[in-house]
């Protein structure tokens, strides 16, 4: 058998849909007619370079994997709301501008990936989108938290506080004594240990409403 007569095939994608074509020349119009309905505009996606428009009468030589995208409208979702957009590539900034009002700059955009880790979209990132893609937004994490130390309210920066910080809040003017021992207990914490005690040098993750009880004992 002469295996050399068997035509070779290559994989191309149009708007993230895969097609198998024989090696050789194909016109822009033939590529358009692979989609349903036939695309009116078509671009060849070039990595790290400006995409090339493919005219109906132009010829593309298919000899390896190629990626194309069209202007065919597709539906994507942001925070469960549907939006009709052209298929292909979209920038992170364009995603922000789809909603009304636009997504605030301090909110992160994530791509919802089924049965996998969701993907955070970075600033100025270019994303290849396909029909049905889902995105969601996240408000920034709070940078300050209100806690209680010996019943007094305090506002602290960051979600992690140390034993030394809590003792200083409990006793701005430290009591005197040659062998002072401080005991720090807490409740309503965040993370895997919502209740416990702190020793010198240790830290704990907090949230709004975490309660600390600090006592000082002189062992002299």
């Amino acid at each position: 058998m002469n295996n050399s007569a068997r035509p070779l095939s290559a994989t191309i994608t149009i708007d993230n849909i895969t097609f198998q074509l024989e090696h050789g020349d194909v016109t822009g119009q033939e590529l358009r007619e692979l989609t349903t309905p036939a695309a009116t505009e078509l671009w060849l996606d070039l990595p790290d370079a400006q995409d090339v428009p493919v005219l109906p009468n132009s010829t593309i030589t298919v000899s390896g994997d190629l990626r194309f995208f069209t202007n065919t409208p597709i539906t994507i979702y942001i925070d469960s709301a549907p939006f009709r957009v052209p298929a292909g590539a979209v920038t992170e900034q364009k995603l922000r501008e789809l909603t009304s009002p636009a997504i605030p700059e301090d909110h992160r955009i994530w791509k919802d990936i089924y049965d996998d880790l969701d993907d955070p979209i970075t600033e100025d990132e270019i994303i290849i989108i396909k029909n049905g893609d889902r995105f969601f937004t996240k408000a920034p994490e709070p940078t300050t938290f209100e806690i209680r130390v010996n019943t007094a309210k305090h506002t602290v920066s960051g979600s992690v506080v140390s034993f030394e910080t809590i003792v200083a809040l409990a006793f701005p003017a430290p009591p005197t004594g040659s062998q002072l021992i401080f005991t720090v207990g807490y409740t309503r914490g965040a993370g895997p240990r919502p209740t416990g005690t702190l020793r010198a040098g240790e830290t704990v993750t907090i949230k709004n409403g975490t309660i600390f009880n600090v006592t000082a004992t002189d062992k002299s």
Side-chain angles (χ1 to χ4, degrees), residues 2 4-5 22 48 51 56 59 78 96 126 141 167 192 206-207:
N2 183 8
S4 63
E22 294 182 3
D48 301 322
D51 299 324
T59 300
I78 302 177
R96 291 185 179 278
I126 298 176
E141 296 292 333
V167 169
I206 61 170
K207 62 184 179 182

Side-chain angles (χ1 to χ4, degrees), residues 10 22 28 33 70 73 79 84 104 107 111 116 136 145 155 179 195 201 203 209:
E22 294 182 3
E33 291 173 357
T70 74
D79 292 336
R84 293 287 285 173
H107 285 49
K111 185 175 182 180
D116 204 347
F136 61 91
F145 298 84
T155 299
Q179 296 185 37
T195 301
T203 61

Side-chain angles (χ1 to χ4, degrees), residues 26-119:
V26 61
T27 67
Q29 184 59 35
E30 289 172 328
L31 289 173
R32 283 167 164 75
E33 291 173 357
L34 291 175
T35 66
T36 305
T40 58
E41 300 290 342
L42 185 70
W43 289 266
L44 173 61
D45 184 11
L46 297 180
D48 301 322
Q50 185 172 350
D51 299 324
V52 177
V54 180
L55 300 177
N57 59 353
S58 62
T59 300
I60 298 290
T61 300
V62 176
S63 59
D65 295 347
L66 296 174
R67 180 185 295 272
F68 300 86
F69 63 92
T70 74
N71 65 341
T72 304
I74 61 173
T75 300
I76 65 172
Y77 299 85
I78 302 177
D79 292 336
S80 298
F83 296 89
R84 293 287 285 173
V85 296
V90 64
T91 64
E92 181 259 0
Q93 184 60 39
K94 287 297 183 183
L95 282 179
R96 291 185 179 278
E97 295 170 357
L98 287 176
T99 66
S100 182
I103 299 169
E105 292 296 330
D106 61 350
H107 285 49
R108 293 290 303 275
I109 304 176
W110 294 67
K111 185 175 182 180
D112 188 0
I113 301 178
Y114 182 71
D115 280 347
D116 204 347
L117 294 176
D118 297 324
D119 185 21

Side-chain angles (χ1 to χ4, degrees), residues 8 12 14 29 40 45 51 83 103 108 116 119 132 143 153 155 160 165 167 170 178 181 183 208 213 219:
L8 300 174
I12 71 166
I14 303 178
Q29 184 59 35
T40 58
D45 184 11
D51 299 324
F83 296 89
I103 299 169
R108 293 290 303 275
D116 204 347
D119 185 21
T143 57
K153 290 183 179 180
T155 299
V160 177
T165 296
V167 169
S178 59
I181 296 178
T183 303
N208 283 320
N213 183 48
K219 296 296 185 179

Side-chain angles (χ1 to χ4, degrees), residues 163 167 170-171 174-175 179-184 198-200 214-217:
F163 171 93
V167 169
F171 298 102
Q179 296 185 37
L180 279 176
I181 296 178
F182 294 98
T183 303
V184 177
L198 282 181
R199 295 186 178 91
V214 186
T215 59
T217 304

